[in-house]
Amino acid sequence: MRIVVDFDLCESNAVCMGIAPEIFEVRDDDFLYVLDENPPESMRAKMEESVQRCPKQAISIAED
Amino acid sequence: MNSTTVIVGASLAGINAARTLRLQGREGPIIVVDADPERPYDRPPLSKQMLTGEWEREKILLPAGKEDLGLDFRLGVRAKALDLSARQITLEGTGGAVETTAFDSLVIASGASARRLPESAGVAGVHVVRTLADSLALRDELDAGPTRVVVVGAGFIGAEVASSCRKRGLEVTLVEAMPLPLERILGVEMGKVCAQVHIENGVDLRLGTGVLQLETETVDGVEKVVGVALTDGTTVAAEVVVVGIGVTLNTEWLEGSGLTLDDGVVCDNTLLAAPGVVAAGDIARYPSARFGRMLRVEHWETAIAGGEAAARTLLAEASGETPAVFDPIPWFWSDQYDRKIQLAGRPMPTDQCVVVHGSTEEFRFVALYGDGDRLTGVLGMNRPRHVVQLRAIFEEGASFSEACERAASL
């Protein structure tokens, strides 16, 4: 699984960071950084929650 | 179990309840009813990207509404009455056709409607922003380039509409009956900061004054607004008036149903309102142990989480399991001009409020609210990282003083 963020949509609400801080980090510059674009399968539920809870629908999961 | 589920409301709470039920294995028909004829859409952009014209309607469709979940959508159909003992719901279609549908499980997510000014019905140029149709109608009038827009109510909708109008280069007068914007939610100190944000962005802010009446003119049989007379004796000329004075809950159809209605549908702490009946979203009032009182939360995230939780409660009930308690920390955001306001929690306006990061002068800060040593809220302006970190600390049950201490090291 690969995490794809549409940075044109992302407005750094940091919801994803609240769900999975080991993958998503909003830094002091207010921008989102994806710490691991290929999270382990064990994190799938949290990744799907991040997709659902993103207020801007900016996160998606690619299967490749 | 091949039972019929009816979900009233195809917005965020209803659609997420439907999605959760289906993904968790609920078989049988899931009928999703909504008076709004549009495919399920997301509301936050209605006062922002849709109004500024940056986004088109396709972009705000909810992903869950586009998934193949085998839902039976009845859009443009209004719930009219509920007979709890017969387990039947009365629906009215667009043409006025009335039908009765039996259900085994019911999700009440019929939400709320925008409150309007008295005697404003049918007056051209007067708008609310609650539905996609509302937003598109207002956008059309903003496209025409009015010389001034009056926004009535400086709550979150009013503030965002004012912001979107300023982004379009329009002159805006923002009228608020309270002495400060958002004072009842954020308290006096932070209300002052929010007022200053409007002023810095060129809004003509009129505080502590209400609307006396709309000034109208009738041309070719069409009554159109030309201004707003305020209770402070002044009149503001404007071709467009946007009213953001809160909502009325869509509970009419539940009157006499036997459900307890008290500023919402009264639920238990699992969102169960009656056997086989749950409520979610703006309309659900539930007891929060975390905040020690009944809560009804009109936030975007609560609608998603509540829809999911309500669905899980139905599933647990059907399988004889104990449903999970619903008591999240409410959280929302509001984008105004180039500022992002985020609040986690439910402070009372009288709670103490301490800035723990940044400063209100630079409009980039985090503040904590406390009732004694009980942490009640985390407010951020352009500080999303800190808000989410402090929300996690809040979730862990930190006290006010502990949160202040830990905030210093973030």
Side-chain angles (χ1 to χ4, degrees):
Chain A
M1 135 180 83
R2 186 163 55 87
I3 295 302
V4 181
V5 174
D6 183 337
F7 286 98
D8 288 336
L9 287 178
C10 174
E11 59 175 31
S12 298
N13 274 300
V15 175
C16 52
M17 181 180 169
I19 296 165
E22 52 280 71
I23 305 297
F24 302 106
E25 184 175 287
V26 173
R27 295 191 187 149
D28 256 356
D29 60 8
D30 288 348
F31 286 110
L32 171 67
Y33 294 82
V34 180
L35 303 180
D36 182 356
E37 287 189 348
N38 300 98
E41 200 55 33
S42 59
M43 295 211 63
R44 182 170 289 274
K46 282 193 168 187
M47 292 304 99
E48 280 174 359
E49 191 183 349
S50 302
V51 170
Q52 290 297 325
R53 298 291 169 88
C54 173
K56 300 313 289 282
Q57 302 177 22
I59 307 172
S60 55
I61 299 172
E63 306 293 345
D64 54 19
Chain B
M1 189 176 68
N2 201 22
S3 61
T4 298
T5 306
V6 170
I7 298 179
V8 179
S11 197
L12 215 47
I15 200 77
N16 278 287
R19 182 175 190 273
T20 301
L21 283 168
R22 202 54 111 199
L23 295 183
Q24 301 294 319
R26 170 65 57 105
E27 291 172 357
I30 298 181
I31 301 169
V32 185
V33 178
D34 202 302
D36 195 320
E38 300 284 348
R39 288 164 66 196
Y41 56 88
D42 203 23
R43 293 184 199 275
L46 298 180
S47 53
K48 301 185 277 275
Q49 293 89 346
M50 288 300 290
L51 274 193
T52 55
E54 291 162 78
W55 286 11
E56 289 306 325
R57 64 166 74 197
E58 281 301 312
K59 202 150 182 173
I60 67 166
L61 293 179
L62 288 173
K66 295 187 273 188
E67 279 178 71
D68 184 16
L69 297 166
L71 306 177
D72 178 0
F73 280 108
R74 310 271 179 93
L75 303 176
V77 171
R78 190 178 291 276
K80 295 297 282 184
L82 171 66
D83 184 339
L84 211 51
S85 51
R87 300 197 88 69
Q88 284 183 338
I89 182 170
T90 305
L91 304 174
E92 184 184 68
T94 33
V98 174
E99 62 165 321
T100 301
T101 300
F103 63 84
D104 300 288
S105 303
L106 176 68
V107 179
I108 299 169
S110 47
S113 302
R115 280 181 61 207
R116 292 166 191 269
L117 289 177
E119 288 163 39
S120 66
V123 179
V126 183
H127 296 264
V128 294
V129 181
R130 180 75 190 177
T131 66
L132 175 55
D134 292 338
S135 179
L136 291 173
L138 173 56
R139 179 162 97 178
D140 276 351
E141 293 218 20
L142 298 181
D143 283 344
T147 46
R148 180 168 294 274
V149 177
V150 171
V151 180
V152 180
F156 292 106
I157 291 290
E160 291 187 352
V161 169
S163 163
S164 296
C165 290
R166 290 298 296 145
K167 275 188 186 167
R168 299 182 64 128
L170 299 169
E171 296 299 326
V172 175
T173 296
L174 179 56
V175 179
E176 169 57 49
M178 296 288 287
L180 287 167
L182 302 169
E183 188 183 320
R184 272 187 271 200
I185 297 168
L186 303 178
V188 170
E189 196 185 337
M190 292 302 146
K192 284 180 187 165
V193 178
C194 293
Q196 200 54 38
V197 170
H198 290 300
I199 292 165
E200 301 245 331
N201 282 282
V203 168
D204 168 29
L205 182 63
R206 309 284 185 96
L207 296 172
T209 184
V211 171
L212 188 63
Q213 61 179 27
L214 295 171
E215 308 270 303
T216 65
E217 268 176 23
T218 301
V219 179
D220 298 330
V222 177
E223 188 183 12
K224 196 184 177 323
V225 73
V226 292
V228 182
L230 303 177
T231 53
D232 66 2
T234 61
T235 298
V236 183
E239 301 102 301
V240 176
V241 174
V242 187
V243 180
I245 53 172
V247 295
T248 309
L249 297 175
N250 297 330
T251 50
E252 317 88 328
W253 64 285
L254 299 169
E255 301 285 346
S257 67
L259 292 177
T260 307
L261 302 179
D262 178 14
D263 184 31
V265 175
V266 177
C267 307
D268 71 5
N269 61 0
T270 71
L271 299 180
L272 196 71
V277 180
V278 289
D282 295 356
I283 209 165
R285 180 174 287 281
Y286 62 93
S288 166
R290 193 190 293 278
F291 292 94
R293 60 185 194 269
M294 296 294 287
L295 289 187
R296 191 179 63 73
V297 178
E298 294 178 7
H299 304 338
W300 183 90
E301 195 178 72
T302 302
I304 299 180
E308 292 173 352
R312 290 207 168 88
T313 291
L314 285 180
L315 293 164
E317 193 194 27
S319 62
E321 290 161 38
T322 307
V325 170
F326 180 74
D327 197 7
I329 294 177
W331 172 88
F332 72 86
W333 83 100
S334 173
D335 295 320
Q336 302 171 19
Y337 317 99
D338 59 349
R339 298 295 103 178
K340 177 182 291 296
I341 298 170
Q342 295 175 312
L343 178 71
R346 252 314 161 92
M348 300 297 272
T350 47
D351 289 351
Q352 61 172 319
C353 178
V354 175
V355 175
V356 291
H357 256 285
S359 72
T360 53
E361 288 77 22
E362 53 179 359
F363 303 109
R364 183 169 153 83
F365 64 91
V366 186
L368 297 177
Y369 289 88
D371 173 12
D373 199 34
R374 198 165 59 85
L375 181 63
T376 56
V378 179
L379 175 70
M381 192 177 272
N382 284 25
R383 283 283 187 182
R385 179 170 76 84
H386 293 81
V387 172
V388 76
Q389 287 172 327
L390 285 162
R391 182 190 183 178
I393 289 169
F394 197 167
E395 196 99 51
E396 289 166 18
S399 67
F400 178 74
S401 50
E402 202 181 333
C404 286
E405 212 167 280
R406 289 174 68 181
S409 62
L410 291 178

